């Protein structure tokens, strides 16, 4: 995943990222990451002894990489019933 950004340790503390204290939750499907994030989840889990935790899934969902078949990150965006799709355009994927 590359070296951590130098300012992360100063800003968030050692072994933490911008989302370490986030309430964001990865939405898993039958305990597995969605198809566009399976590779990212598997690589991160392998680096953690093969165990996919909620924390690892969240990191994969927020940091990627996302495999959207050349469509950018739009394949991980779902329409919110409370917001018109005009906010995210036609690229719902």
């Amino acid at each position: 995943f590359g070296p951590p950004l130098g300012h992360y340790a100063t800003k968030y503390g050692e072994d933490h990222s911008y989302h370490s204290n986030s309430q964001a939750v990865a939405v898993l499907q039958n305990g597995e990451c969605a198809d566009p994030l399976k590779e990212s989840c598997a690589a991160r889990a392998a680096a953690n002894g093969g165990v996919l935790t909620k924390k690892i899934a969240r990191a994969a969902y927020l940091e990627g990489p996302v495999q959207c078949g050349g469509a950018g990150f739009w394949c991980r965006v779902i329409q919110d019933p409370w917001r018109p799709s005009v906010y995210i355009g036609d690229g719902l994927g």
Side-chain angles (χ1 to χ4, degrees), residues 16-93:
H16 288 85
S17 69
Y18 68 92
H19 56 77
S20 292
N21 294 320
S22 171
Q23 293 182 19
V25 177
V27 178
L28 302 179
Q29 300 167 353
N30 296 320
E32 295 185 5
C33 294
D35 287 342
L37 291 150
K38 281 188 178 181
E39 289 181 33
S40 181
C41 286
R44 290 171 184 275
N48 189 50
V51 178
L52 179 65
T53 64
K54 290 180 181 182
K55 181 179 175 182
I56 290 171
R58 179 184 64 212
Y61 272 57
L62 293 175
E63 296 177 5
V66 180
Q67 302 300 324
C68 289
F73 70 92
W74 291 107
C75 67
R76 75 179 189 137
V77 177
I78 58 173
Q79 188 169 3
D80 183 339
W82 297 101
R83 289 192 177 271
S85 61
V86 68
Y87 292 106
I88 58 174
D90 294 333
L92 291 173

